[in-house]
Structure formats: structure tokens, C-alpha cells
């Protein structure tokens, strides 16, 4: 410490360049740091989904959910299994240990699904599928699409084919989920009595509908000098098209689909609906990609809204119903205000004790260098600006100034001793070289004290990293941000602070009395 202090005292430009480099790195990192309400905590969760059309919730639970739970429960690292069975579908949610790699867990889930496939009902349309879920990636914005004229199915079609695709291209957007309705579909409700009266079965109706929309090769028929082009009719789209579909033709007696069933225009899923201001609406949930800046992503979406509204029908309204950025902005604004206020209060207390504004500026300059430098460490560690990391900087404002005060006070003690020794000889000017000697002597003497102070604080805050679980993940950024600020403060206290003392403290006689707080304590 003594040699390091001597080096920078003799080369004040070097200490100034080091401080400037720390500040510039912190300011650059401030522009690159993502913004979030809380630190990113990833929960390894996988959701398995399976469907069996027509099966009751009881059948889904006993024939699909139970075999899946037995197979998936044997995977290592599973902490909880939850299943939910509905009409024709079931979902099994697996939560793994926080230290479990989600990709390895996904491979084991796929292997378990393949192994249990033989125990599942044969009528399933396909194998069960799974998706990786991160509960911490909550939607950052919700948009509602409504219209007084268009049905929800048409709104859903516009939202899924136009809006969702455009929003997914915005920088920072990770996923866009459309809910509140489903794609248009034709619903056929067969009447069993009408089928029995005409001697038809459900399979006859199914075959007629499937054959009507079958895609067959288009060709030509030739006979002698004649040639006929064969073209398929347009696929059936609406209920009116399906109503005229011929189910059976016997001797000219046509049985159409409308004779044995009620055909209506509907949606694929009748059990989902959305409303906005007492009007049917489709909701688009926008989630950010991992590491993206929420505020910048929301601003980019707001900038795209006029273009998105221009792509919609004239009477369609696209409204923002949920936006997480105002709360985040307000929280960070309050955090910045509190941080600035704490720095000003620390400087005021130092000035009140020392009684000299010139002397109080030395720890005041060391304080922002340490806090701004901590931003560079946050970016290097992959952290974000959130409530806990900003709170760590606020707490650090009262801790990092201690290093500069300890160095400053010890240097002041040596200067006062030198002034007292010269006063006995009648001399009042101690000289700049004496100030330099007091600076590197005072900084060298408290080197071990600084290491002990910061080491004790670092051990206290680093201990949270050994707690494990969600607490450790949540407070990791808080503790490491504090540690980074204290380490930078330690470096600044043995480089910049002695140099500022050597070239900023007055070499003449002491003309100012101690500060009011110092006089109050002395009495």
C-alpha cells in the first residue's frame, strides 16, 4: 500500500487517468445495462401437454395424466409435479431444482415421454409435447384488439397473422402470445335421430367432410380429339359451403349435411374469451427476450403502434391495457434520487466534521468514482439495473466513503503533527514536500486497516451467496454489487485519495477551525 500510494502521489496524472477510466467505463456500462424490476431468477420449469379429443376430464386424469406423472416423476432433480386435466386435454408441470440444467432436463423429459407412449390411449392425435417455461419472464405489455363490427374470430386472425408477427420483429421482444379467442372454424353438431332415420353413421359424416376438403392431384382427361382440364373446387370455408355438402346419394335422393346436422360458423376453441371495456376483444401478451431492457423494448413497441394501427380495419381499436415500464421508471427515478440524496448527505456530514469545503471535496470525489465504477462491474457480471442493485449502490454510498475518510484523517494527523513541530521553530509554512510525505506515510499506515474494514464487509455480504435457493439467486446482484463498489473504493483510497491529498491539501498554517459537529463532540 505504501509503495502504491507513493507511485500515484508522484504521478498525479496517472491517478487522474485511472479515475477517469473507471468513470468512463461505468458511464458506458450504464447505457448497456438492461433495466428490470427485479434480478433475473430462472426457475427450471417444463410443462408437458397432451390431448385426446372427446375425452372427459376424469378419463384424461386416469389414462393420460397418471402414466405421465409416473414416468416423469422418475427424472432426477424434480422438486414438484402438478397436473391439470380438462375436456380433451391435460397438462403436467414439472419444477426442477434451481441448479438443474433446463436443457438436460428437457432431454430426459422427452425420453420419458417416448418410454410411456405405449401406455397412453391409442386414440391420441400425436405424442405429448413439452415446452420450457420461465415464470420470471412475465409479460411486459398487453394490447387489446377490439371492434364493434368484427367477430372475435376475425380479430384473432388479424392479431395472430399480422400484429403478432410485426411485434415479434421489434428489438427486445421474445414472445407474443395471442389469447381471448381462436381461429375461425366451422362447427358441425350432428343430430343422432336424423342419422338413424336415414341409416347413416357418424363415420359417414366424417368421411364426407374429409373427402370434401381432400387435396388431390390436378390433371386432365383426354378422349379422341377432346381434352378436359380437371380442377379442384375451392376448399370449403364457411358454414354455408358445408351445409350443401352431400353425405349420401342413393338413386338421386341426396342427403346433405344440413339435413342431419346443425352447421354454424364458430371458432376452434369455444372456451376462451377476452373482453376490454365490456366489448369482446383479443389480447396480445408481449414478453421480452432474456437480458433485454424492458424500458427500451416498451418504447420500441409504442413507436410501432401507429404503423400497426394502420394495418387494421378502420373500426378496429388497438389499445394498451398493461404496461410495466411506468412502474419501473418511477422506481428507478426514486432510486436515482435517493442515491444522489445519500451522496449529498454523506458529503455534508464530512464537511460538517472537517470544517473545510476544500478538504471535504476529496472524499466527495472518491465517492462517485466508486459508485460509477460499480456499474462497469455490474455489466461485466451480467447484472441489470433493478430495485436491489440500485439499493446496493445506495447502501454503498455510506460504506465506500469510509475508506477515503480514513485515509484523509490519517494524512491530516501527520500534517498537524508537522505543523506543530514547525511551530516550535517559528516557521509556519510546512512546504509541499512535507504534504507529500504526510500523504504517502498516512496512506501506507492505514493500508492494513482498509483491508480489514473492506474484508469484514465483503465477508458479510458474500455470505448470502452460500444460502442457496431462491434467496441466493434473488440477492446475488445486491451482494456482488456492494462487493464491487467496496473493492473499487479500496483501490481508489490508495491511489486517487492520497494524490488528491498531496496536491489539494493546503501547505500553509491551519486557518480554519474544525467543523461544528467535530467541536460539538469535542466539548
Amino acid at each position: 500500500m505504501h509503495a502504491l500510494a507513493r507511485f500515484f502521489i508522484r504521478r498525479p496524472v496517472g491517478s487522474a487517468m485511472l479515475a477517469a477510466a473507471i468513470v468512463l467505463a461505468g458511464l458506458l456500462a450504464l447505457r448497456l445495462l438492461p433495466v428490470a424490476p427485479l434480478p433475473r431468477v430462472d426457475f427450471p420449469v417444463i410443462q408437458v401437454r397432451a390431448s385426446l379429443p372427446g375425452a372427459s376430464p376424469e378419463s384424461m386424469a386416469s389414462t393420460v395424466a397418471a402414466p405421465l406423472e409416473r414416468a416423469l416423476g422418475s427424472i432426477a432433480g424434480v422438486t414438484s409435479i402438478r397436473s391439470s386435466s380438462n375436456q380433451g386435454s391435460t397438462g403436467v408441470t414439472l419444477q426442477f431444482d434451481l441448479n438443474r440444467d433446463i436443457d438436460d432436463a428437457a432431454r430426459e423429459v422427452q425420453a420419458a415421454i417416448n418410454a410411456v407412449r405405449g401406455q397412453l390411449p391409442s386414440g391420441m392425435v400425436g405424442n405429448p409435447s413439452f415446452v420450457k417455461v420461465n415464470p420470471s419472464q412475465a409479460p411486459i405489455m398487453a394490447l387489446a384488439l377490439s371492434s364493434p363490427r368484427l367477430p372475435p374470430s376475425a380479430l384473432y386472425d388479424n392479431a395472430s397473422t399480422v400484429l403478432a408477427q410485426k411485434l415479434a420483429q421489434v428489438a427486445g421482444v421474445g414472445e407474443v402470445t395471442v389469447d381471448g379467442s381462436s381461429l375461425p372454424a366451422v362447427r358441425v353438431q350432428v343430430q343422432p335421430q336424423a342419422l338413424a332415420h336415414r341409416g347413416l353413421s357418424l363415420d359417414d359424416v366424417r368421411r364426407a367432410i374429409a373427402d370434401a376438403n381432400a387435396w388431390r392431384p390436378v390433371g386432365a382427361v383426354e378422349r379422341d380429339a377432346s381434352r378436359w382440364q380437371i380442377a379442384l373446387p375451392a376448399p370449403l370455408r364457411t358454414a354455408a359451403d358445408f351445409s350443401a355438402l352431400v353425405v349420401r346419394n342413393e338413386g338421386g335422393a341426396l342427403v346433405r349435411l344440413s339435413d342431419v346436422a346443425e352447421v354454424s360458423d364458430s371458432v376452434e376453441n369455444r372456451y376462451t374469451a377476452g373482453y376490454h371495456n365490456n366489448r369482446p376483444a383479443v389480447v396480445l401478451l408481449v414478453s421480452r427476450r432474456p437480458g433485454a431492457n424492458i424500458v427500451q423494448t416498451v418504447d420500441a413497441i409504442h413507436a410501432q403502434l401507429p404503423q400497426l394501427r394502420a394495418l387494421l380495419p378502420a373500426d378496429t381499436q388497438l389499445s394498451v391495457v398493461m404496461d410495466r415500464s411506468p412502474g419501473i421508471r418511477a422506481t428507478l427515478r426514486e432510486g436515482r434520487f435517493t442515491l444522489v440524496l445519500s451522496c449529498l448527505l454523506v458529503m455534508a456530514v464530512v464537511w460538517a466534521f472537517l470544517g473545510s469545503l476544500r478538504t471535504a471535496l476529496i472524499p466527495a470525489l472518491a465517492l462517485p468514482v466508486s459508485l460509477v465504477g460499480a456499474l462497469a462491474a455490474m455489466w461485466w457480471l451480467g447484472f441489470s439495473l433493478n430495485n436491489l442493485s440500485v439499493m446496493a449502490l445506495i447502501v454503498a454510498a455510506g460504506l465506500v466513503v469510509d475508506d477515503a475518510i480514513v485515509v484523509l484523517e490519517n494524512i491530516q494527523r501527520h500534517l498537524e503533527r508537522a505543523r506543530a513541530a514547525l511551530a516550535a521553530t517559528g516557521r509556519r509554512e510546512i512546504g509541499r514536500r512535507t504534504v507529500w510525505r504526510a500523504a504517502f506515510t498516512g496512506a501506507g499506515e492505514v493500508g492494513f486497516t482498509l483491508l480489514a474494514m473492506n474484508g469484514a464487509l465483503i465477508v458479510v455480504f458474500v455470505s448470502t451467496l452460500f444460502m442457496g435457493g431462491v434467496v441466493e439467486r434473488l440477492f446475488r446482484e445486491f451482494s456482488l454489487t456492494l462487493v464491487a463498489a467496496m473493492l473499487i473504493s479500496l483501490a481508489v483510497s490508495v491511489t486517487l485519495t492520497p494524490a488528491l491529498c498531496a496536491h489539494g491539501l493546503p501547505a500553509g498554517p491551519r486557518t480554519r477551525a474544525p467543523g461544528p459537529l467535530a467541536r460539538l463532540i469535542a466539548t
Side-chain angles (χ1 to χ4, degrees):
M1 295 287 186
H2 191 279
L4 191 63
R6 181 189 294 271
F7 176 83
F8 281 99
I9 287 172
R10 292 181 175 179
R11 297 168 178 82
V13 178
S15 62
M17 292 181 63
L18 177 62
I22 294 175
V23 172
L24 290 177
L27 294 177
L28 179 61
L30 180 61
R31 299 177 57 87
L32 302 177
L33 281 172
V35 179
L38 289 173
R40 180 185 173 188
V41 181
D42 293 330
F43 297 90
V45 176
I46 293 180
Q47 190 173 66
V48 181
R49 300 168 182 168
S51 60
L52 180 60
S56 63
E58 294 79 8
S59 299
M60 294 298 299
S62 60
T63 61
V64 179
L68 284 175
E69 289 180 359
R70 287 193 297 268
L72 297 172
S74 61
I75 299 176
V78 176
T79 58
S80 68
I81 299 179
R82 299 186 304 273
S83 64
S84 174
S85 298
N86 302 306
Q87 183 74 24
S89 65
T90 188
V92 181
T93 303
L94 306 174
Q95 183 170 344
F96 294 86
D97 185 81
L98 291 176
N99 297 323
R100 189 75 157 86
D101 185 78
I102 189 66
D103 296 324
D104 292 341
R107 286 190 286 268
E108 295 191 24
V109 168
Q110 183 62 61
I113 291 175
N114 296 335
V116 79
R117 184 62 180 91
Q119 305 177 25
L120 300 178
S122 58
M124 294 184 64
V125 202
N127 287 335
S129 60
F130 70 90
V131 291
K132 304 173 187 177
V133 182
N134 187 2
S136 63
Q137 288 295 107
I140 62 174
M141 177 179 281
L143 305 173
L145 185 65
S146 59
S147 173
R149 180 179 58 87
L150 296 178
S153 58
L155 295 176
Y156 186 91
D157 193 7
N158 286 331
S160 59
T161 58
V162 179
L163 298 181
Q165 306 301 323
K166 294 292 184 180
L167 288 173
Q169 299 175 8
V170 176
V173 174
E175 183 182 8
V176 181
T177 305
V178 184
D179 202 357
S181 185
S182 57
L183 291 174
V186 175
R187 190 164 300 278
V188 179
Q189 188 173 355
V190 180
Q191 300 175 356
Q193 296 84 358
L195 286 179
H197 179 71
R198 290 171 173 80
L200 296 173
S201 64
L202 286 175
D203 194 60
D204 295 332
V205 178
R206 182 198 61 79
R207 190 182 306 111
I209 295 175
D211 293 343
N213 276 342
W215 293 95
R216 297 187 178 90
V218 178
V221 176
E222 297 182 1
R223 183 179 179 182
D224 298 334
S226 302
R227 188 172 187 270
W228 293 272
Q229 295 285 343
I230 300 177
L232 288 176
L236 306 182
R237 297 289 187 185
T238 63
D241 299 334
F242 279 93
S243 296
L245 183 64
V246 176
V247 179
R248 188 176 64 182
N249 182 3
E250 290 185 358
L254 301 180
V255 179
R256 300 185 182 277
L257 185 60
S258 59
D259 298 331
V260 296
E262 294 182 5
V263 186
S264 60
D265 290 317
S266 182
V267 292
E268 292 180 351
N269 187 358
R270 295 179 297 171
Y271 302 103
T272 178
Y275 293 91
H276 177 241
N277 291 338
N278 297 325
R279 180 184 297 174
V282 172
V283 180
L284 295 94
L285 300 177
V286 183
S287 301
R288 67 182 178 111
R289 61 176 174 79
N293 191 317
I294 292 181
V295 175
Q296 293 180 359
T297 303
V298 170
D299 290 342
I301 294 175
H302 278 289
Q304 290 290 326
L305 288 182
Q307 302 179 16
L308 296 178
R309 292 188 176 101
L311 300 175
L312 299 173
D315 60 345
T316 304
Q317 297 179 357
L318 182 62
S319 308
V320 178
V321 297
M322 189 271 288
D323 186 352
R324 295 180 64 190
S325 63
I328 297 174
R329 296 177 197 269
T331 301
L332 294 179
R333 184 166 56 249
E334 290 295 328
R336 287 194 295 266
F337 172 77
T338 306
L339 180 59
V340 173
L341 180 61
S342 63
C343 294
L344 293 177
L345 289 176
V346 168
M347 287 186 254
V349 170
V350 172
W351 170 79
F353 269 99
L354 298 180
S356 170
L357 181 61
R358 181 178 179 182
T359 306
L361 283 177
I362 294 176
L365 290 175
L367 178 61
V369 173
S370 302
L371 297 182
V372 175
L375 298 175
M378 291 170 57
W379 174 82
W380 182 67
L381 294 171
F383 295 164
S384 62
L385 276 177
N386 53 71
N387 291 336
L388 291 180
S389 60
V390 173
M391 184 174 67
L393 294 177
I394 295 172
V395 175
L399 297 178
V400 300
V401 75
D402 293 344
D403 297 336
I405 292 176
V406 168
V407 175
L408 174 63
E409 282 295 322
N410 199 44
I411 294 175
Q412 284 275 46
R413 183 175 65 86
H414 281 276
L415 287 179
E416 294 299 330
R417 182 179 297 176
R419 287 192 178 98
L422 289 178
T425 62
R427 295 174 55 190
R428 304 187 63 184
E429 292 287 339
I430 58 176
R432 180 56 53 185
R433 185 173 297 275
T434 304
V435 178
W436 287 12
R437 187 179 302 108
F440 65 73
T441 302
E445 288 179 350
V446 297
F448 181 77
T449 304
L450 295 176
L451 286 176
M453 289 170 48
N454 288 276
L457 292 173
I458 288 173
V459 168
V460 170
F461 291 111
V462 169
S463 62
T464 59
L465 302 180
F466 298 93
M467 299 181 65
V470 179
V471 176
E472 182 268 333
R473 298 291 182 91
L474 192 61
F475 287 93
R476 173 186 293 269
E477 295 193 13
F478 174 81
S479 59
L480 292 183
T481 301
L482 266 173
V483 169
M486 287 185 289
L487 290 177
I488 296 175
S489 172
L490 178 61
V492 169
S493 63
V494 296
T495 57
L496 179 64
T497 302
L500 291 176
C501 292
H503 299 274
L505 292 179
R510 184 178 180 90
T511 58
R512 291 180 179 268
L517 288 181
R519 293 195 302 269
L520 179 63
I521 294 175
T523 56

